Amino acid sequence: MASDWDKVLAGGALNSQSEEIANDRIRGQALLAQLNATPAGDHEARQRLCAELFGHCPDSCWISSPFICEFGRNIHIGEKTFFNFNITILDVGEVHIGSHVLLAPNVQIYTATHSMDYLERRNWTAYNKPVRIGDDCWIGGGAIICPGVTIGPRAIIGAGAVVTRDIPADSLAVGNPARVIRT
């Protein structure tokens, strides 16, 4: 029998009444509070908390505080990736961030989306569209990565960009909405 998470990650609606999902949110928020309260110099404790919070987070990564996410369990990070201050990730769906990725301050990554039908939104029904960021990317300060976006390896997203569609590998994308201006 499929779990509630299996249904959500397969594209179904997030069941906010699900005990499994509610418990994962509570667990994730408790670990997040501990991580954000742990001094930057306590590398061992921070790495232990990251390993517990995230779906995957190697010891070679650095997650600066404050950091914000909803569950943590759906975030998968590659080797030697750096999160600067105030990163926000809404991980209703999976977020895969490659190795050697740099996220500047205030980057926001969203997988949660809602129906265009206002009656459905009244129930706070949420769906997910996964986000993928390839190896060696640099995401500039204040950039917003929208649900369902894939950013190819070695791409650079300019500060303040709003990425609403896929960005190919080896590209520089800027603006709102973000568009490729150079490869």
Side-chain angles (χ1 to χ4, degrees), residues 72-89:
R73 71 181 302 282
N74 294 322
I75 302 170
H76 307 273
I77 307 167
E79 294 287 339
K80 296 186 178 179
T81 287
F82 176 77
F83 287 19
N84 212 316
F85 303 103
N86 292 316
I87 303 300
T88 299
I89 301 177

Side-chain angles (χ1 to χ4, degrees), residues 153-175:
R154 300 168 304 281
I156 298 171
I157 306 301
V162 178
V163 184
T164 60
R165 60 180 178 250
D166 293 354
I167 302 297
D170 302 301
S171 298
L172 169 61
V174 300

Side-chain angles (χ1 to χ4, degrees), residues 64-137:
S64 300
S65 295
F67 168 73
I68 300 168
C69 66
E70 188 168 7
F71 300 99
R73 71 181 302 282
N74 294 322
I75 302 170
H76 307 273
I77 307 167
E79 294 287 339
K80 296 186 178 179
T81 287
F82 176 77
F83 287 19
N84 212 316
F85 303 103
N86 292 316
I87 303 300
T88 299
I89 301 177
L90 293 186
D91 62 318
V92 168
E94 290 188 314
V95 175
H96 291 269
I97 299 172
S99 296
H100 305 278
V101 173
L102 304 176
L103 300 183
N106 301 308
V107 166
Q108 301 167 59
I109 301 171
Y110 303 134
T111 64
T113 188
H114 302 280
S115 173
M116 295 296 286
D117 181 336
Y118 74 96
L119 292 173
E120 280 190 55
R121 288 195 311 272
R122 285 183 179 180
N123 296 321
W124 297 356
T125 301
Y127 299 91
N128 89 84
K129 292 183 179 178
V131 169
R132 297 188 181 283
I133 300 173
D135 293 342
D136 299 297
C137 288

